Amino acid sequence: MKLARNIIIALIAGVIIGLILNLFAPGAFTKVDAFLFKPLGTIFLNLMKMLVVPVVFISIVLGTVGIGDPKKLGRIGGKTIGYFLITTAIALVIALSLGLLLKPGAAGDFETSTANYEAQEAPPVADTLLGIIPTNPITAMAEGDMLQIIFFAALIGFGIAMLGKRVEKITELFEQGNELVMYLITFVMKFAPYGAFGLIASAVGSQGIDALRAMGMYMGVVLGGLLIHSIVVYGGSVALLGKRNPVWFFKNFFPAQVVAFSTASSAATLPISMKTAQEKLKVPESISSFTQSLGATINMDGTAIMQGAAVVFIAQAYGIDLSMGQLMTVVLTAVLASIGTAAVPGAGLIMLAMVLTSVGLPVEGIALVLGVDRLLDMVRTAVNITGDAACAVIVAQTEGVLGEPDAEGVLTGTENA
């Protein structure tokens, strides 16, 4: 919590300084951003990203070894993917409902004639699924292809589990490697407040008050959807399925949420997210490593809320009415796209382009929301990793291996595992 406090102080200081420079010294902001803000943020992000592949690979191997039974591994995988797909669909319904109710695109006069955006093409879902098996695991690690890394690590873990004592030295090596990367995570996190300061100061200073004011209603819909989804869907599922107090869950996972907010990267936050879930939420390493690593790749609830709100906003800005059939198409397309674009850089905007195309809306409308996307990305990343942790708690509870919480974590009137 001390680390979370320091990061929050750094975030507040970054917002204030970024706004002051934007309003009173925009020329100076460009230089300060280039020589201070961006370097601070980039150094911290690179330090975190440097640890992602080792953390995912080692954790998945040990997690698979810990699970051992292939049937149990398949059951846990089915629960994890099922939870992510269902919550993504719910997130889209929440965002579309808020957008239709509050009408963010009708709140101002948006210039659509000059809007321009060149959409990247997403790979077919079938290609993504077939591409899970790496032809060269070393290349997959070098390129950071998470789905391929997860598959290869799970295969290695399965082999170690089946061979048992014959490869106990390899198991010991992975356990020692895990100790090493956990230490490195703790060390790197000492730089988190400085990185958070640089990242938020750069983001806020480059946007300014005018951009935020013009897109206020759209931002309100997205932020409202993220808040509702976090409290109702995640909090509710943790209480009903995970048998844990939602307040305890959010309180203990808060440090990881703050890091996710500052980095705007689920992958970069994964090491601290897993560490927090294992130590604070009492999720066994075998469950945490599998569900949270997979979630960082395919769980896009926060992104889904942005997409739902953006679709309605763009349709309203262009004066296009969406039918119930088109709204259903948005939900179906976005849920499927969350798998199809899992390993693609900039997946959120690619998914949005796919969804807009599926209902006949101009892809150029993405340009209207790009200005504030960086700030919203920070919030939705925090929501995404919260969903990963909620899933880990629920899966561990349903498997009967969730650790006993302290008094605050006990949900009154329920029986804990």
Side-chain angles (χ1 to χ4, degrees), residues 250-272:
F250 287 115
K251 177 183 176 182
N252 280 278
F253 197 64
F254 182 67
Q257 292 175 317
V258 174
V259 175
F261 178 83
S262 62
T263 62
S265 171
S266 295
T269 312
L270 184 58
I272 190 65

Side-chain angles (χ1 to χ4, degrees), residues 300-383:
M300 298 188 178
D301 289 3
T303 304
I305 288 173
M306 177 276 289
Q307 291 166 358
V311 165
V312 176
F313 171 78
I314 291 169
Q316 291 170 352
Y318 279 87
I320 300 171
D321 292 325
L322 295 173
S323 66
M324 182 57 67
Q326 287 176 307
L327 294 175
M328 293 297 292
T329 300
V330 168
V331 174
L332 181 61
T333 305
V335 170
L336 294 176
S338 68
I339 299 175
T341 57
V344 179
L349 294 177
I350 292 176
M351 287 170 65
L352 180 54
M354 291 174 62
V355 172
L356 290 173
T357 303
S358 71
V359 291
L361 291 175
V363 174
E364 292 78 13
I366 294 177
L368 299 176
V369 301
L370 272 179
V372 294
D373 189 67
R374 178 67 176 86
L375 295 177
L376 293 176
D377 192 21
M378 301 169 82
V379 184
R380 66 178 184 254
T381 301
V383 171

Side-chain angles (χ1 to χ4, degrees), residues 182-206:
M182 289 300 122
Y183 171 79
L184 292 176
I185 291 167
T186 304
F187 176 75
V188 168
M189 286 308 298
K190 296 180 185 297
F191 299 93
Y194 306 101
F197 170 79
L199 289 165
I200 195 67
S202 179
V204 172
S206 61

Side-chain angles (χ1 to χ4, degrees), residues 126-375:
D127 288 355
T128 301
L129 295 176
L130 291 174
I132 290 176
I133 303 174
T135 55
N136 187 331
I138 304 302
T139 300
M141 292 181 188
E143 295 177 352
D145 191 322
M146 283 300 144
L147 287 178
Q148 293 189 353
I149 293 170
I150 290 170
F151 179 88
F152 180 65
L155 196 62
I156 293 292
F158 174 74
I160 293 174
M162 292 299 99
L163 291 171
K165 290 186 177 181
R166 283 181 285 175
V167 291
E168 60 184 9
K169 293 295 183 182
I170 295 180
T171 304
E172 187 178 335
L173 176 64
F174 275 102
E175 289 172 347
Q176 292 175 344
N178 188 59
E179 291 290 330
L180 175 60
V181 294
M182 289 300 122
Y183 171 79
L184 292 176
I185 291 167
T186 304
F187 176 75
V188 168
M189 286 308 298
K190 296 180 185 297
F191 299 93
Y194 306 101
F197 170 79
L199 289 165
I200 195 67
S202 179
V204 172
S206 61
Q207 302 299 325
I209 292 292
D210 292 338
L212 302 182
R213 187 185 297 117
M215 297 294 291
M217 279 298 291
Y218 167 70
M219 293 180 68
V221 169
V222 176
L223 294 174
L226 293 171
L227 181 64
I228 293 171
H229 191 70
S230 297
I231 295 174
V232 177
V233 179
Y234 293 154
S237 62
V238 165
L240 294 175
L241 303 176
K243 309 299 182 184
R244 292 293 182 265
N245 189 331
V247 176
W248 169 87
F249 169 78
F250 287 115
K251 177 183 176 182
N252 280 278
F253 197 64
F254 182 67
Q257 292 175 317
V258 174
V259 175
F261 178 83
S262 62
T263 62
S265 171
S266 295
T269 312
L270 184 58
I272 190 65
S273 178
M274 289 170 50
K275 192 171 187 287
T276 305
Q278 293 166 20
E279 295 179 358
K280 300 293 185 181
L281 302 180
K282 311 299 182 184
V283 179
E285 184 180 335
S286 58
I287 302 292
S288 166
S289 60
F290 184 83
T291 57
Q292 290 182 274
S293 296
L294 191 60
T297 308
I298 69 171
N299 178 35
M300 298 188 178
D301 289 3
T303 304
I305 288 173
M306 177 276 289
Q307 291 166 358
V311 165
V312 176
F313 171 78
I314 291 169
Q316 291 170 352
Y318 279 87
I320 300 171
D321 292 325
L322 295 173
S323 66
M324 182 57 67
Q326 287 176 307
L327 294 175
M328 293 297 292
T329 300
V330 168
V331 174
L332 181 61
T333 305
V335 170
L336 294 176
S338 68
I339 299 175
T341 57
V344 179
L349 294 177
I350 292 176
M351 287 170 65
L352 180 54
M354 291 174 62
V355 172
L356 290 173
T357 303
S358 71
V359 291
L361 291 175
V363 174
E364 292 78 13
I366 294 177
L368 299 176
V369 301
L370 272 179
V372 294
D373 189 67
R374 178 67 176 86
L375 295 177

Side-chain angles (χ1 to χ4, degrees), residues 56-92:
V56 170
F57 182 70
I58 292 173
S59 297
I60 290 289
V61 169
L62 289 177
T64 307
V65 171
I67 294 171
D69 185 2
K71 291 183 179 179
K72 186 178 179 182
L73 184 62
R75 186 172 67 244
I76 290 172
K79 291 177 182 178
T80 301
I81 295 173
Y83 181 85
F84 290 150
L85 293 180
I86 291 170
T87 55
T88 298
I90 294 172
L92 284 158

